[in-house]
Amino acid sequence: MTSLGGAASSGMVDWNLAVATATRLVRPGPDVSRDEARAVVSELRRHAKASEEHVRAFTRMIPEGVRPADTPVLVVDRAGWVKANVAGFREVLKPLLDKMQERRGGSPGGAVLGAVGGKVTGVELGMLLSFLSSRVLGQYETFAPPTRELPAGENGGGRLLLVAPNIVHVERELDVDPHDFRLWVCLHEETHRTQFTGVPWLRDHLEGEIQSFLGETDVDPMTVLERLREAAQSLAGSRPEGEEGDSGRSLVELVQTPAQREILSRLTAVMSLLEGHADFVMDGVGPQVVPSVAEIREKFQQRRAKGASRLDLALRKLLGLDAKLRQYRDGERFVRAVVDQVGMDGFNRVWTSPNTLPTKAEIAKPADWVARVHSRTEG
């Protein structure tokens, strides 16, 4: 296993142990031969390249003739997805963990708690990542620093991850045309790539909001460990029957101050926009290039809505994943309503600056965003 850095095993989280634990626990992927695996990887790369042209033509986010900074497409397995996300978490959470480490260092027994707590948290984070690693089809990862194993785009841009075993698993589970499904997934994920390459300020804006949110966190380290432990117990099925724990609150909800609630509201709005826009584009491009798109969409929506099991539902709530499902739905409605009212170019004013992003209230009432942004620019 590649080390995540000299300090990886010190501090609040043993990052190397998180990777090792997740890699050990990750479920095996679907049964495919070596030749089949090579064919899947090759097809996903072709579809990603084709999707780039389809998405750019449909969204008109990138002017014709303009070449935005390129970012790599990486077809990965579940362990590769884990490593990329641990690297991203480590980068984003560093300020918060440094702050918590400093607080703990002055407390009685702080050094002992550090040695034990870092390993406990590493194991439990690894358990959660192993669970999630079998569910993610693709992701635009933007925060992890570039390495030989995880190259990035120019000027610190991110990379598009396509999780091949999960895509194959879902296409078989849904019993849909595999070639159509792979292209359909690539259209969604390529939209995220286009959002970040076509809107240069977006990554820094999101990182700034996340750091502001984390900077407002004032929580005892043991509380964070306890929340992770609850999540790990849910994953292992060891929580007593019927026990929700803390009224079933998600991890995010446990660390909110009034200032954080405002930041979280803005983050929720922008994530709803990004996810809803990707769904809208996928539906807009799909009928032209994916023959069985209607069947895929219907079956995938049913799968998304019902979840896999009671355990899935408990973890989705604890990790805030139910909120993510709402983001797809609410964001797609927002994008569709705005495009219906002012057209694609009118909608694209959303990418002008952080000030033209919709608020959480405007996601629910798209006409309010249109009135605010278009009346201001046209008045």
Side-chain angles (χ1 to χ4, degrees), residues 185-301:
V185 170
C186 286
L187 289 170
H188 181 101
E189 302 307 334
E190 175 58 38
T191 303
H192 288 315
R193 185 167 174 242
T194 299
Q195 289 163 349
F196 282 91
T197 56
V199 185
W201 53 263
L202 183 58
R203 179 192 180 277
D204 288 343
H205 172 70
L206 270 179
E207 185 174 22
E209 292 281 62
I210 291 168
Q211 292 305 332
S212 296
F213 179 86
L214 295 176
E216 289 289 331
T217 298
D218 187 23
V219 63
D220 181 78
M222 291 307 296
T223 303
V224 176
L225 293 179
E226 184 58 33
R227 292 295 137 305
L228 280 172
R229 190 163 295 112
E230 285 186 10
Q233 287 171 351
S234 289
L235 180 57
S238 59
R239 176 172 292 180
E241 182 75 20
E243 181 183 323
E244 288 290 335
D246 241 325
S247 302
R249 289 186 294 171
S250 73
L251 288 167
V252 170
E253 291 170 325
L254 290 166
V255 292
Q256 284 187 53
T257 63
Q260 280 182 311
R261 279 193 289 274
E262 291 183 18
I263 300 167
L264 189 61
S265 176
R266 295 196 299 269
L267 277 170
T268 299
V270 73
M271 295 311 297
S272 296
L273 170 68
L274 298 180
E275 296 293 0
H277 183 235
D279 266 11
F280 176 79
V281 172
M282 187 167 59
D283 284 350
V285 176
Q288 306 165 37
V289 297
V290 182
S292 60
V293 65
E295 178 192 1
I296 291 172
R297 185 71 159 133
E298 181 182 357
K299 289 183 175 180
F300 193 78
Q301 286 289 68

Side-chain angles (χ1 to χ4, degrees), residues 96-108:
L96 172 64
L97 296 180
D98 286 349
K99 174 181 172 181
M100 293 168 70
Q101 175 86 7
E102 188 177 324
R103 169 189 285 191
R104 189 186 58 196
S107 64

Side-chain angles (χ1 to χ4, degrees), residues 23-38:
T23 303
R24 187 175 70 252
L25 295 177
V26 71
R27 298 175 184 178
D31 186 20
V32 295
S33 69
R34 185 166 295 185
D35 286 344
E36 285 176 311
R38 287 198 188 102

Side-chain angles (χ1 to χ4, degrees), residues 1-145:
M1 181 187 66
T2 302
S3 171
L4 293 170
S9 59
S10 63
M12 292 295 301
V13 182
D14 186 332
W15 297 107
N16 282 343
L17 188 56
V19 170
T21 301
T23 303
R24 187 175 70 252
L25 295 177
V26 71
R27 298 175 184 178
D31 186 20
V32 295
S33 69
R34 185 166 295 185
D35 286 344
E36 285 176 311
R38 287 198 188 102
V40 170
V41 170
S42 176
E43 184 173 24
L44 286 172
R45 287 180 177 147
R46 289 198 309 273
H47 283 334
K49 184 63 180 173
S51 295
E52 185 178 321
E53 297 178 17
H54 295 313
V55 168
R56 290 182 183 181
F58 183 81
T59 64
R60 302 202 290 273
M61 288 179 64
I62 300 172
E64 204 170 328
V66 173
R67 291 294 305 171
D70 196 22
T71 54
V73 176
L74 307 178
V75 182
V76 299
D77 59 12
R78 290 167 178 175
W81 179 87
V82 166
K83 290 176 182 177
N85 277 268
V86 167
F89 288 155
R90 187 183 180 200
E91 188 74 11
V92 169
L93 294 176
K94 187 177 186 303
L96 172 64
L97 296 180
D98 286 349
K99 174 181 172 181
M100 293 168 70
Q101 175 86 7
E102 188 177 324
R103 169 189 285 191
R104 189 186 58 196
S107 64
V112 174
L113 180 61
V116 176
K119 292 191 179 302
V120 170
T121 310
V123 167
E124 295 181 341
L125 178 60
M127 291 176 70
L128 292 176
L129 286 171
S130 73
F131 172 83
L132 294 172
S133 69
S134 63
R135 283 155 173 76
V136 176
L137 301 181
Q139 174 188 359
Y140 188 78
E141 204 297 312
T142 185
F143 296 118

